[in-house]
Structures are given as structure tokens and as C-alpha cells.
Amino acid sequence: MISALAWVRKGVAAERPARYEMTEEEYTRLQTEAAAEINDAKRELKEKSMVDSELLNDPALKDFDLEHYDSSDEDETSEKQDGPHIFSNIKGLSFYNEDEEDPDLDLDEDEEAEEEQIFASDNLLLVAKTEDDISNIEVCVFESESDNLFVHHDFMLPAFPLALEWLDFRVGRKADQPGGGNYVAVGTFEPSIEIWDLDTLDAAYPDLVLGTSDKRVLRKSRNKPHGEFHTDAVMGLSWNKNVRNLLASSSADTTVKLWDLSKGACVQSYSHHKDKVQAVQWHPSEASVMLTGGYDKRVAAFDSRVPDAISSWKVDADVESVMWDVHSPNHFFVATESGTVRYFDIRNANNGKGGAPVFTLTAHDEAVSAMQQHPNIAGVLVTGSADETVKVWDIRDKPSMVLSRNPDVGSVFAAQFCPDEPMLLAVAGSNGESRVWDLATNAQVRSTFGDAAFAAKPVQEKPLVGIQHDEDEDEDAENSHEAVIAELRGSEHPAAATASGEDSDTSMASEN
């Protein structure tokens, strides 16, 4: 499945990405971490052995011969036949001292360099993907002129990815270099945040890790928040574009944390939510103001310098995402598990208690798991849902639905507008597929949001662009989605809420 997407502007990526070379410092760090993990494993094995020994020596259980409970003559025979002879029948293997001697190895460096080149006219699309319990970030190139989308390179992740956030603040080995960089911050089921350099190929380790990966420390902090690092999954990320060294994160440990990227450390922790914090976003123009939303059915807006002065709004269900209105910064959107989208005015709060929404969209029959506003065209809102549909809304004046489509990606988990193209939307979901949809070629969208000349010009609608995958992909993607949501919510079977008071095929907006 694909759980998150992020675009990278044209001209940002290095034309010829460098290959990863591990430094002595990284070798030493990996050796230290590996030694710590081995020691932890030995200690756990010793503890387990003590428990097993006590169990096996229990007089009441001695007659059951538990030590050989699963053994059989066939198993012992099989074990003797396997092992060192597993490769004994392989013949015809060839060995070459130098790569140049291998006739099957293509060493055309010029051709390889040409394939790795990224042009200034290319966008990057970052895809957080999990398949067969293996998670990675696919760095895809989108060539708009030819509508071509392909995977350029990728890197492995330690756990299922929940959030992606692009940033240009240089960290790690390139921290002292001038100008902006090209990085992505990744939040996963692990409590740490990894920041990867997108201009590096074959990277084996992130350039910066925020938080701790020390399992002994995390075990001591299990089920309780810590002031300096997260102790549970990182569910949301937001980079401060006005103060570029600041990154905010929200977590299943019920806290929101503020990180200084120049120091690689947490500088502030907020605990105003009572349950998992699903989403966080910095205000587009007020550098110190942020918005958060959680599973306590609350949305909070506050100045990060004055964390006690919080205004909060109650909603009808768990919060899926929050988003400031970039075209009207005093307003914000809230998407919920019940299928609704609410639009609030931050000025409509009294003594910290938020008022009623300006309007409410009964957008979907299931959770609104993706929500995106067009960054340049006012009034364009896109929502995606576990009901497998993507909808385009006109929220000017009286909100109304313009278009609804099933993009064939399963449950929709991500929808992102391209920052360089007029109406280019990337969507992805539970079946592991990503699609690039040119909304500017849709007649309904053109007539609603274009001027008279633009709307009148006939254009043939383009098909959705995607990457082709093997037909034998995991058929249990939907079950995997349910398992992920269940783990986050702490329940075995997450409820599929429906929009209150609406039929299964109806979408509506109400104003207060």
C-alpha cells in the first residue's frame, strides 16, 4: 500500500545525484548500535531461557516432556539432510576477479549516468510504500511533457511510514554547505524521525535521526510521554517554511514536539491532547502558530512560544487531518473519521473555546483520509476517502461538489497537488498504486474554475498516469490497511463510520 505522498518542485533536485559513501564515523556508529542490539538480544534470550528452565523443571509439568513437545523423527531426519548441503547441487557458477572480466556485466558508465540524470523540467514525486511488510520511499521522476512517471531510486525504512514532509534545510554531512538542500522527513511506526537526502543514491542510513532508537531507553518510557523524544509512532510532520530550522511532529504518545534541525534535538514538547495526535501544521504566515488534531476529537490552535494559551474546537469524530486555508489564513479545515470536513474561523473563539464551524461538508461515507487545497487557485478543495473515491469541491460561496471519481487506487490515503503545474494531482492508496491526474483537462473542472475563454476551449481529457506493477502484488492490501489503522487506534477492528444523516451516495454541505 501507499500511505503518503510528497512533491518536489522543478529545479530543486541535483541534476546528477551522488552515490552514498559511508564515512568512518558512520561505520563506528553502526558498529556501536549493532553491538547494543546484540547485547539486548542476548539479555532477552537469557531471560527467556530462565523462564523456560523454570517451566521445564516444574514437577507438575515434568510428565508432559515439554522440552521435546514439537520434535519428531521426521524433523530430526530433515534437519540432518539440510544445512551445509543446501547449495551442494548448484553447478555452473562462474567467478571473475575483476568486474571487467564478466561478460554479463554492463559497465557503460555514460549510459548509467544518463539514466540517473534529473532535468530541471522534472518534478519528483515521493511515494511511501509498503509491500510484503517491507517499507521504502520511492523517489519517482515525473516528466510532464510526456506524462511519464518512473522510479528513479529508493531507500529502505525501518517501519511502516505514516507521514512525509519535504524540506530544504541542510542537515548531516551537507549541513555546512551553502544554499538549500533536498530532503524528506519520514515519520513511521517507530518513535524516531528519519531525514534523508534525496540527492544521494543508494543511501544506507539517513542524514539525521531525531529522537532515540535506544530500545532500553524506550522500554523504560513505554506507555508514557517523554520531554525529549517520542515514545510511540510519529503520525504527523510539518516543516516551518518561515523558520527553516524548525520541524514539528505529532505522535501516538499524545505529544507534539518541536525540533531544531540545526541541533538535531527537541526544544519543546506540548501535551495538550489526551489521545494520539494525528496531525500538525504550521501557519502559512504566522511563524510561531501551529494547528494540531487528535483522536481525542479536538483541534487546537496556539502560539508555540505561549503553549498554555490554547484555543480548541470539538469535532464529531477522530481527526484525520488539519489544514490552514492558505487563501484565508484566519480559517482552517478539519477532516474526520466520520467522513466530514469542517471549516472553522480561528477568530471565532472565546476564552479558549472554539465556536461553530463556518460550514460542514458531509464529504464521504467513510473516513476522509486525504485532504488537499489548491495552493494557487482559491476555492479548490480535494478530498479522498476509504470509500475509494476522490472528490473535487468548489468551496467559494456555498460549497458544492464538482467531480467525484474512483481513481482505482483502493482506499485513498494521499492526495497532493503538484506545486508547478496548474491542476496536476497525485493520488495513492491501499492497493499500492499511485496516479497522476491532470484535472485541468476535465470539462467540469474547467467550466467551474476557469475563466470564460479557458472553459470554452475544448480539450480532450487525459487518462490518469501511473507506474505499472506486477500482477501478483499482495492481495491482502486492504486487510493490511485495516491492521495498520487498528494498531494506531488500539483496537482489533476499526469502525467504519458513515456520514450522519446521509444516504450512501449523497454528499452535501451545510452552513452554520
Side-chain angles (χ1 to χ4, degrees), residues 202-213:
D202 302 329
Y205 201 78
D207 276 47
L208 180 65
V209 177
L210 302 175
T212 182
S213 56

Side-chain angles (χ1 to χ4, degrees), residues 412-434:
V412 181
F413 294 151
Q416 291 285 325
F417 276 110
C418 177
D420 297 303
E421 300 292 336
M423 290 287 274
L424 201 64
L425 181 73
V427 296
S430 61
N431 68 6
E433 297 288 344
S434 57

